[in-house]
Amino acid sequence: MKFVIAAVASTLLAVASADMLQINNPTNGTNWITGVPNFVGWTGNCASMGNDSKAVKVDLVNGPANAVRYVATLGTLDCSGANTRADMTVPNTVVSGEYSIVVRTSPQQSYTNSFKINNPAAPEPAAPAPPSSGQPAPSSPTTAHSAASHAASGAMFVMIGLAATAFQFL
């Protein structure tokens, strides 16, 4: 009985992580330029998606992790086998700023960390001016969470929960 439960837990853990690619480019600190080819790199594959794995949609998104907004579709990639890289060109209509990429694998999507896109024709809006009262602006510590880190940590908790549940029965 213990062996069966361990086998089921192991299978569930494998299924939960089977189609989540680990995106290794772009990363935080990467700077892409609009209108020229840039590459998306990953480890893993999504072969279990069948024929759908040969044309997985890649979208550009921005915004905070709890309110990610679609910006543009960059193209598709083939993650069905040994491929670990695909070239994508950010359209010239995208303004300079911080973005993330979501690879629409199924059942779980894969996100990048945030990275910078530079559009020489559409620079990033200027930051607001500091208050003019002569007093320094109050500072508060903030933690920036990208869509990728939010999604990855959620997936990790699901996998840990499955493993912990299975081992309770051993």
Side-chain angles (χ1 to χ4, degrees):
M1 179 67 171
K2 289 181 183 180
F3 175 75
V4 172
I5 293 171
V8 168
S10 175
T11 301
L12 287 174
L13 189 59
V15 169
S17 63
D19 291 328
M20 186 166 182
L21 301 177
Q22 297 299 316
I23 310 297
N24 54 33
N25 193 65
T27 60
N28 194 7
T30 300
N31 190 10
W32 280 14
I33 299 174
T34 59
V36 299
N38 302 278
F39 80 92
V40 175
W42 66 91
T43 58
N45 70 57
C46 55
S48 65
M49 290 175 52
N51 285 337
D52 291 342
S53 66
K54 295 184 184 301
V56 177
K57 190 164 95 166
V58 179
D59 289 335
L60 185 66
V61 297
N62 69 359
N66 62 348
V68 176
R69 294 179 306 266
Y70 168 85
V71 176
T73 296
L74 299 181
T76 61
L77 57 81
D78 178 353
C79 57
S80 63
N83 292 341
T84 59
R85 176 186 171 125
D87 287 335
M88 303 281 157
T89 300
V90 177
N92 288 323
T93 55
V94 173
V95 298
S96 297
E98 291 285 324
Y99 294 89
S100 293
I101 289 176
V102 59
V103 179
R104 306 281 182 188
T105 50
S106 177
Q108 195 164 4
Q109 300 177 32
S110 302
Y111 289 82
T112 67
N113 288 319
S114 63
F115 65 99
K116 189 149 182 74
I117 292 179
N118 181 22
N119 182 343
E124 195 168 6
S132 60
S133 68
Q135 296 292 327
S139 63
S140 62
T142 60
T143 304
H145 291 288
S146 69
S149 63
H150 183 71
S153 54
M156 184 59 68
F157 283 118
V158 168
M159 289 186 274
I160 290 169
L162 286 170
T165 302
F167 287 116
Q168 284 180 348
F169 294 107
L170 295 177

